[in-house]
Amino acid sequence: MKDFFTPDYMFGAFDEITPAFLQSIGVRALLIDIDNTLAPYEQPDPDERILDWFRELEKNGIRAALVSNNHAPRVERFAEPLTKAFGIAAYPDSGKPFAGTLEYAMERMG
């Protein structure tokens, strides 16, 4: 059985993961962490680089949701502009690596 926590691909930064790459491996949706993935914990809001990346995902038909173990105030503040611009759902206190919230988010995205 494949180890679920061994990556198949590694990147230096989130925006190195292009829509073309995702499409080439059949990915139609992403579950994305916030802290130390999209932004350092100390960055309260998404910057233009993050917004541009989500814009490219949307333009290419790739759905996304934010799934974080952080608490609602942090996650909701960070997610607000992404939700308004792209309809991105956000799930705080997700309990990763347990699958409950991850499965729920995937189900909601279809």
Side-chain angles (χ1 to χ4, degrees):
M1 174 182 257
K2 186 175 181 177
D3 183 353
F4 290 111
F5 295 107
T6 301
D8 292 324
Y9 308 96
M10 292 182 66
F11 297 88
F14 69 89
D15 54 355
E16 292 177 8
I17 306 168
T18 65
F21 170 76
L22 294 170
Q23 290 168 334
S24 78
I25 61 170
V27 172
R28 298 177 322 210
L30 296 174
L31 300 177
I32 307 165
D33 192 23
I34 297 171
D35 296 322
N36 300 316
T37 299
L38 290 177
Y41 177 79
E42 300 78 25
Q43 182 179 325
D45 303 300
D47 56 23
E48 272 308 308
R49 182 177 168 200
I50 294 167
L51 293 169
D52 288 344
W53 188 65
F54 276 97
R55 195 171 292 114
E56 286 300 308
L57 293 177
E58 180 184 58
K59 188 166 84 173
N60 286 277
I62 297 170
R63 303 195 66 191
L66 300 176
V67 182
S68 176
N69 284 345
N70 212 322
H71 302 299
R74 159 67 171 156
V75 174
E76 289 169 1
R77 177 175 174 167
F78 192 91
E80 183 179 6
L82 298 170
T83 301
K84 284 182 180 177
F86 311 110
I88 302 295
Y91 303 93
D93 299 305
S94 68
K96 295 179 299 176
F98 297 105
T101 301
L102 301 173
E103 290 172 346
Y104 178 78
M106 287 188 292
E107 184 179 301
R108 298 268 321 238
M109 287 193 296

